[in-house]
Amino acid sequence: MAVLSVTSCGLFSAETVDSEEVANEAAKILEQQVGQAPDDMTCDEDLPAEVDASIRCELTTDGTAYGVTVTITNIDGNNIELDVQVDDEPLS
């Protein structure tokens, strides 16, 4: 779990966190957890800015795509804690 500070560039509003920022931060979290960043990480929708809100994203590593669930676990002012869970099986 890591803290995402979202205070700049309009990436955070009262309702959402920008999908690109979520993807970038999720990639950083995964790099910290497993020691390697994914080759690519994308999220197709903004993340609702509320505790327990989650979105599905997709990462690619070594040519294989996996689904990823990104969930907000805590919000403290402009700091948001994210939990990132990668699916056990690759996408078909």
Side-chain angles (χ1 to χ4, degrees):
M1 198 157 349
V3 176
L4 166 63
S5 181
V6 284
T7 58
S8 63
C9 303
L11 300 174
F12 176 67
S13 72
E15 292 90 27
T16 63
V17 182
D18 180 74
S19 61
E20 187 174 320
E21 184 64 20
V22 173
N24 290 339
E25 193 62 29
K28 290 178 191 176
I29 291 168
L30 291 173
E31 182 176 18
Q32 291 172 357
Q33 289 177 350
V34 299
Q36 178 182 347
D39 297 332
D40 187 44
M41 172 76 87
T42 58
C43 301
D44 291 334
E45 60 185 301
D46 292 345
L47 177 60
E50 55 190 58
V51 174
D52 294 329
S54 64
I55 58 170
R56 294 286 291 165
C57 301
E58 184 176 310
L59 73 79
T60 304
T61 188
D62 297 327
T64 304
Y66 290 87
V68 179
T69 301
V70 180
T71 305
I72 294 178
T73 58
N74 187 40
I75 299 175
D76 183 13
N78 288 328
N79 294 319
I80 295 175
E81 292 181 19
L82 298 176
D83 179 58
V84 180
Q85 297 295 320
V86 178
D87 294 352
D88 291 332
E89 300 293 323
L91 296 172
S92 52

